[in-house]
Amino acid sequence: MTAMSPRRSAPDLSYLLDHTSHVLRTQMAAALGEIGLTARMHCVLAHALEAERTQAQLAAIGDMDKTTMVVTVDALERAGLAERRPSGTDRRARIVAVTPKGAEVAARSQEIVDHIHTDALASLPEKAREALLSALTSLAEGHLADADEAPPATRGSARRPRQ
């Protein structure tokens, strides 16, 4: 006798978002790897070019922990794409400054990222494309904007506090 799986009462949104995100990240990693970058390196370069930002600010933007950020900036420095400089406003903080070579690489990596995004969206009819972007933007800026706003735990799933 086999167990029957429970009936779904809603589409498996987690699977759909996770699967498409995984495939998109995999394509991105392969394409950026051809120019010697990771997606994290691209993220740091692109956002460091937008404004003077500290490592901590860039880590928050890229959803990276402190260790990952340090490793990423170390790799950018070794490649001659960025350098750490003291902040003019906080002597404890370091600004990530993009070098001229880094700016050239960032321009190329942005073309790659844009191409991958455009190709993915081009696989949809225009109205579906607009609807998808609108819906995802609404979720990202609304109901799913903050991971801390998760619904309360259901009975039996509450985490035990760390000892």
Side-chain angles (χ1 to χ4, degrees), residues 29-43:
L32 289 171
E34 291 181 14
I35 63 168
L37 288 187
T38 65
R40 287 183 178 126
M41 292 166 80
H42 164 74
C43 178

Side-chain angles (χ1 to χ4, degrees), residues 43-57:
C43 178
V44 170
L45 288 175
H47 292 290
L49 281 168
E50 291 173 344
E52 185 174 282
R53 292 192 166 118
T54 65
Q55 286 184 192
Q57 290 168 325

Side-chain angles (χ1 to χ4, degrees), residues 126-139:
E126 188 173 344
K127 286 189 183 212
R129 196 177 320 153
E130 292 169 7
L132 174 67
L133 291 172
S134 176
L136 288 174
T137 299
S138 292
L139 284 172

Side-chain angles (χ1 to χ4, degrees), residues 1-73:
M1 181 173 191
T2 60
M4 293 185 62
S5 63
R7 289 187 182 260
R8 292 188 191 281
S9 61
D12 191 346
L13 182 60
S14 294
Y15 166 76
L16 295 170
L17 292 172
D18 287 347
H19 176 75
T20 54
S21 178
H22 170 74
V23 172
L24 197 61
R25 283 191 318 271
T26 301
Q27 291 175 357
M28 194 93 55
L32 289 171
E34 291 181 14
I35 63 168
L37 288 187
T38 65
R40 287 183 178 126
M41 292 166 80
H42 164 74
C43 178
V44 170
L45 288 175
H47 292 290
L49 281 168
E50 291 173 344
E52 185 174 282
R53 292 192 166 118
T54 65
Q55 286 184 192
Q57 290 168 325
L58 291 167
I61 290 169
D63 195 26
M64 290 180 247
D65 60 44
K66 185 177 179 180
T67 302
T68 302
M69 183 63 186
V70 168
V71 169
T72 302
V73 177

Side-chain angles (χ1 to χ4, degrees), residues 115-133:
H115 178 74
I116 290 169
H117 290 163
T118 299
D119 280 357
L121 291 170
S123 70
L124 299 172
E126 188 173 344
K127 286 189 183 212
R129 196 177 320 153
E130 292 169 7
L132 174 67
L133 291 172

Side-chain angles (χ1 to χ4, degrees), residues 73-85:
V73 177
D74 285 348
L76 290 169
E77 282 189 317
R78 277 192 306 276
L81 304 177
E83 58 189 26
R84 291 173 175 98
R85 295 183 185 157

